[in-house]
Amino acid sequence: MSIVKVCCLGVLLFASPCLGACQEAEVIYHGGDILTINDVHPTAEAVAVAEGKIIGVGSKDVVLKHKGEGTKLVDLGGRTMLPGFIDGHGHCFGTGLQAASANLLAPPDYTVTDIPGIVAELKKYAQTDTAKKYGIILGFGYDDAQLKEQRHPTRQELDQVSTDLPVYVIHQSGHLGTANTKALELAGITAETSNPVGGVIRREADGKTPNGVLEETIHYAGLIRIMPRMGDAEMEGLAKAGMKLYAKHGYTMAQEGRAVAPVDQSWMRLAEKGEMLIDVVSYPD
């Protein structure tokens, strides 16, 4: 079943016939299964939209009363239409980083089931223009609980991808990650580095040497240190990539939890330029 999300403000409500002149719709959708998420009237035949708001939902005959000379009619071709999803807790900019990284998700979202699979995906990513341009190899979405080995990769395993470039893989939770030896070096993390407040540097058997896994505050600090410098264009590019990935999965409103200043300013610039693809709620740090 193909799915179409309604990218408009408002709730799908069952429409009644217009008593006076009907507001002219910019777009009317019809020709598919329209799910209203309204228990009283769970389905409809058509939806009318104007100025970013749903102005009519119901039978095709009723909704077509909103048709004017400039109205665009969209035949869903049997596809199903739903209201857009609203993200209750998320980081849209971070999702842009995910979109720009090697995909390390496990089935059914992708194909990575073990650490050799992580290494293989990172090696493919290392050949991309993005990796070559910015001099960093990033992966996103691995989960030790879903890997055959039931553990995180080590710095030595990530060294198989490159010893010259920093390699960093971000856990599916976004709260920890694993660095190769070069990335640890660039982040300034050594055997003498103490665990910071709120963070953990996992160690090898000697209890001193970092094994590559960084948790919470040291994960964020380390990632910032190894990331290439980005100007406004690069920041806005990641923000747009995040919005596109949200929209691809049916979200029409996303959250930007704890937005650091450069990220929040990126959202503001995009909004002022009219380049927002979906609605984003940004919470400045």
Side-chain angles (χ1 to χ4, degrees):
M1 176 177 70
S2 297
I3 300 290
V4 177
K5 305 297 188 303
V6 183
C7 300
C8 306
L9 298 175
V11 178
L12 289 181
L13 301 175
F14 204 74
S16 58
C18 300
L19 298 178
C22 282
Q23 180 181 357
E24 181 175 324
E26 295 170 4
V27 185
I28 292 177
Y29 299 90
H30 66 96
D33 296 322
I34 297 172
L35 306 183
T36 67
I37 319 300
N38 180 331
D39 290 341
V40 179
H41 299 289
T43 62
E45 294 179 341
V47 176
V49 176
E51 297 179 352
K53 295 183 179 181
I54 296 167
I55 60 171
V57 180
S59 69
K60 186 175 179 181
D61 289 342
V62 169
V63 175
L64 281 177
K65 293 182 184 298
H66 292 279
K67 182 178 180 297
E69 293 184 2
T71 301
K72 177 181 179 181
L73 295 179
V74 176
D75 189 336
L76 297 173
R79 290 177 293 173
T80 298
M81 174 175 274
L82 309 175
F85 299 140
I86 294 175
D87 169 28
H89 175 117
H91 308 274
C92 194
F93 187 87
T95 302
L97 184 61
Q98 177 179 2
S101 303
N103 188 349
L104 304 182
L105 292 170
D109 300 296
Y110 194 52
T111 61
V112 176
T113 58
D114 54 22
I115 291 172
I118 290 177
V119 171
E121 290 297 326
L122 292 172
K123 285 183 176 179
K124 287 193 294 184
Y125 181 83
Q127 301 306 311
T128 64
D129 292 339
T130 300
K132 293 176 181 178
K133 178 179 178 180
Y134 293 105
I136 187 171
I137 301 169
L138 288 173
F140 202 115
Y142 85 92
D143 183 359
D144 52 304
Q146 297 185 77
L147 295 176
K148 179 181 178 181
E149 296 86 355
Q150 291 287 288
R151 64 173 175 82
H152 299 271
T154 64
R155 64 179 176 86
Q156 291 90 346
E157 286 165 330
L158 297 187
D159 284 346
Q160 296 173 27
V161 180
S162 178
T163 55
D164 298 320
L165 294 178
V167 179
Y168 200 90
V169 293
I170 301 172
H171 189 267
Q172 189 175 31
S173 68
H175 284 256
L176 66 160
T178 306
N180 74 338
T181 303
K182 184 65 174 181
L184 289 173
E185 175 189 329
L186 293 175
I189 299 172
T190 69
E192 286 69 44
T193 305
S194 301
N195 289 341
V197 174
V200 174
I201 302 169
R202 295 197 187 182
R203 315 283 176 166
E204 295 181 357
D206 62 7
K208 295 181 179 180
T209 306
N211 71 0
V213 180
L214 307 175
E215 301 182 21
E216 297 291 355
T217 55
I218 190 64
H219 153 64
Y220 300 121
L223 186 56
I224 289 172
R225 291 170 190 164
I226 66 172
M227 285 291 289
R229 291 188 176 276
M230 292 186 288
D232 291 352
E234 288 80 12
M235 293 290 287
E236 291 170 18
L238 286 178
K240 287 182 178 179
M243 288 191 286
K244 288 179 181 178
L245 193 53
Y246 265 86
K248 179 181 178 181
H249 289 86
Y251 287 85
T252 55
M253 180 180 284
Q255 305 290 326
E256 185 60 65
R258 194 180 180 184
V260 295
V263 171
D264 192 56
Q265 290 161 8
S266 298
W267 291 122
M268 294 297 290
R269 287 194 304 273
L270 288 174
E272 289 165 357
K273 292 189 290 186
E275 296 181 8
M276 296 295 291
L277 308 177
I278 63 173
D279 293 326
V280 176
V281 182
S282 184
Y283 300 91
D285 186 352

